[in-house]
Amino acid sequence: STVAFFTIAFLILLISSTFFQSKERILNFYIGLLVSSAIVIVFQLIRILFGTDVLSFSIFTNQVSNLVGKWNDMAIFFGLISILSLATIEFFSLNNVYKAFVYLLLIASLLFLVLVNFPIVWGFVGVLALVISIFNLYGNKTPKTKNSGFPIISIIVVIISAVFFFFNATFGTYLSTKLGISQIEARPSINSTIEVAKSTLENNLLFGSGPNRFTPEWLLYK
């Protein structure tokens, strides 16, 4: 799977460098990504509100099944969508219909981040929202694409991200508990991972143990 991932990533970079060479194509991709996120939101909301038997297609068999991947993968996806939506709000002049659509995407993305409750994503969203707010205040030299006034939306996102990053055990579990959604993704701690890596490199200093070999190394050195 590691080799497949890097092969696909390389092909995506190669195709992107040749395909996305005009503003129109980049904008179409951007719009397509936002529209696809709206489809994911509607799909997941229907399953949450009406039960896991709805739109299951004999594939999505439990509460955390989704169109993106694992439950935490969906948090990463909605973290990306929230940042793209925030950047659109802060840096582009939008008509009322498109503005309402992007605001709804931002709110829905943040709600799903609360539902999934993945602290690492909250940290990244908070940092990037802070960067957007600082750039909007001091770094943007193109007034034609800049919204006037203080970046209040970005600051609100920074505050929300900080609250759920530092107090996720208190606030983050409330919504998922109310909806009866539980998901535990067991993973080793950072210290344990470092210890396993050190032991592995003692025997294979130059190349390590190879791709997709963490599980055997964990069983040897944990």
Side-chain angles (χ1 to χ4, degrees):
S1 60
T2 302
V3 175
F5 169 77
F6 278 106
T7 302
I8 293 171
F10 170 76
L11 291 174
I12 290 174
L13 290 174
L14 181 65
I15 294 172
S16 299
S17 65
T18 58
F19 185 78
F20 297 111
Q21 294 186 357
S22 66
K23 291 182 179 179
E24 290 76 14
R25 286 181 172 180
I26 295 174
L27 182 61
N28 288 337
F29 170 76
Y30 188 63
I31 294 174
L33 185 59
L34 293 179
V35 171
S36 67
S37 67
I39 295 173
V40 174
I41 289 171
V42 172
F43 175 85
Q44 207 63 33
L45 281 177
I46 290 175
R47 286 177 52 80
I48 290 174
L49 296 175
F50 299 102
T52 56
D53 293 334
V54 180
L55 299 178
S56 66
F57 305 111
S58 300
I59 300 174
F60 308 107
T61 56
N62 55 59
Q63 292 173 314
V64 297
S65 299
N66 60 85
L67 296 173
V68 179
K70 295 180 181 179
W71 196 235
N72 286 343
D73 295 337
M74 193 170 71
I76 297 172
F77 175 76
F78 281 116
L80 170 65
I81 297 303
S82 63
I83 291 300
L84 289 179
S85 303
L86 185 62
T88 303
I89 293 169
E90 295 291 359
F91 297 128
F92 292 94
S93 298
L94 308 172
N95 59 49
N96 292 333
V97 175
Y98 193 51
K99 182 183 294 185
F101 174 71
V102 176
Y103 268 100
L104 286 174
L105 278 183
L106 176 60
I107 294 171
S109 299
L110 293 176
L111 287 175
F112 272 99
L113 287 180
V114 174
L115 181 62
V116 178
N117 190 29
F118 194 15
I120 295 175
V121 176
W122 279 121
F124 277 106
V125 169
V127 170
L128 292 175
L130 182 61
V131 170
I132 289 174
S133 62
I134 294 173
F135 181 77
N136 199 355
L137 282 173
Y138 303 109
N140 195 351
K141 304 301 181 182
T142 55
K144 289 184 179 180
T145 60
K146 181 181 178 182
N147 288 332
S148 59
F150 189 77
I152 185 64
I153 304 300
S154 296
I155 299 301
I156 291 174
V157 173
V158 171
I159 295 173
I160 293 174
S161 300
V163 169
F164 283 99
F165 179 78
F166 291 107
F167 303 101
N168 66 88
T170 303
F171 297 102
T173 57
Y174 177 77
L175 183 58
S176 57
T177 302
K178 284 291 184 182
L179 295 174
I181 296 175
S182 61
Q183 163 73 0
I184 298 175
E185 186 169 319
R187 55 185 181 272
S189 66
I190 294 177
N191 292 334
S192 299
T193 302
I194 292 175
E195 290 299 320
V196 171
K198 286 171 59 179
S199 300
T200 301
L201 292 174
E202 288 176 359
N203 296 322
N204 302 281
L205 180 60
L206 189 59
F207 295 109
S209 61
N212 287 346
R213 294 284 301 169
F214 181 78
T215 299
E217 300 303 309
W218 170 260
L219 294 175
L220 282 173
Y221 302 118
K222 64 184 175 64

